[in-house]
Amino acid sequence: GRAARARVHAHLGPAAAAARWAETWPRLVAAAGGGTDPPPSTHPETPTAAAIEPEAPAAYLDTPSPPAETTGPRLGGEAVVETAFTPRYPNLCRLDVHTSTFGAATTTPLEVALLDGGGTILREATIAPADVADDAWTAWELDPLPQSAGRRLRLRLGQPGAPAGQGAAVWTSLSAPAGAGVCVRLWSRPTRAEVADVAMSLAPGAGARAARATSPLRVLWHKGLHSLRSQGPGMTAARAYRYARRWLRAQRPR
């Protein structure tokens, strides 16, 4: 009963554990030779100034990264790393690359470029050394790319200012669709209608795909069902009201 629980708490609770630690600690210090400081590290590390997890509050996560499994070859000199991907949404606005500087702050910038399937450079930039993260995400904010949805793109990274084999490296994953792919995640700024369109294109079953290809009314019906499941009846009703008002305005003679 209650008395038994009180006895257990008195003998095994936090206060009892603290008392036992107070008795044990002097013996541990004596066994360690009297010093309480940890031994010096034989491999001193210098953390980078880059944020561990940069925020993207105004963007929509387009494609998540596969799990990081191993680092690729280090950059430097003429070495470059490339990876290909296909965004789901328009207005691609940011790329995050999982980089590693092996515990040391890099002193040379990282050069990045976004190319189309034919090799034409669409966007390019230089990331300052302080923004290259160690075992974390290095973020590249770029001007939104309007026609990015469903488009095969390539990301190229290099660090020509670093000696060959002594630059940063990128984390890769064997779980990527192409195998041994670079760990990169994509951010976009689609409209709500564009998000719904992509959700419809990814919906399972041939019925939704057939409806999308044949009847705008059936597409609207499926969008309503998706909104009802994801946002509830209130938001769905408000969206239906806005659709109806726009449709009625479109029917008026000009």
Side-chain angles (χ1 to χ4, degrees), residues 65-73 81-82 98 169-176 179-184:
S65 170
E69 294 171 337
T70 183
T71 53
V81 172
E82 289 194 5
H98 202 175
V170 295
W171 281 90
T172 63
S173 174
L174 297 176
S175 305
V182 172
C183 292
V184 58

Side-chain angles (χ1 to χ4, degrees), residues 108-238:
T108 55
L110 187 68
E111 296 185 359
V112 291
L114 183 66
L115 303 88
D116 64 9
T120 302
I121 296 178
L122 305 175
R123 304 283 190 274
E124 59 183 341
T126 299
I127 298 178
D131 295 327
V132 179
D134 182 26
D135 289 337
W137 295 104
T138 296
W140 176 25
E141 301 273 358
L142 59 147
D143 293 334
L145 190 64
Q147 307 300 325
S148 59
R151 188 175 180 182
R152 194 63 173 171
L153 302 173
R154 288 189 295 134
L155 174 66
R156 178 188 297 164
L157 302 101
Q159 201 172 12
Q166 298 184 30
V170 295
W171 281 90
T172 63
S173 174
L174 297 176
S175 305
V182 172
C183 292
V184 58
R185 61 186 183 186
L186 315 179
W187 302 84
S188 301
R189 289 197 180 99
T191 63
R192 295 181 66 180
E194 290 166 341
V195 172
D197 288 340
V198 172
M200 278 295 303
S201 69
L202 300 177
R209 290 192 293 271
R212 184 175 177 82
T214 57
S215 170
L217 291 178
R218 293 187 65 186
V219 172
L220 192 61
W221 169 258
H222 281 279
K223 285 183 178 180
L225 289 179
H226 175 74
S227 175
L228 190 63
R229 296 191 193 101
S230 61
Q231 298 182 340
M235 291 293 295
T236 303

Side-chain angles (χ1 to χ4, degrees), residues 9-27:
H9 184 78
H11 290 88
L12 300 176
R20 285 194 294 273
W21 267 112
E23 296 173 358
T24 307
W25 182 250
R27 295 198 295 270

Side-chain angles (χ1 to χ4, degrees), residues 50-88:
I52 294 299
E53 190 69 23
E55 297 293 335
Y60 194 91
L61 182 60
D62 187 302
T63 305
S65 170
E69 294 171 337
T70 183
T71 53
R74 299 185 68 163
L75 298 172
E78 298 181 356
V80 296
V81 172
E82 289 194 5
T83 186
F85 48 82
T86 304
R88 291 178 178 176

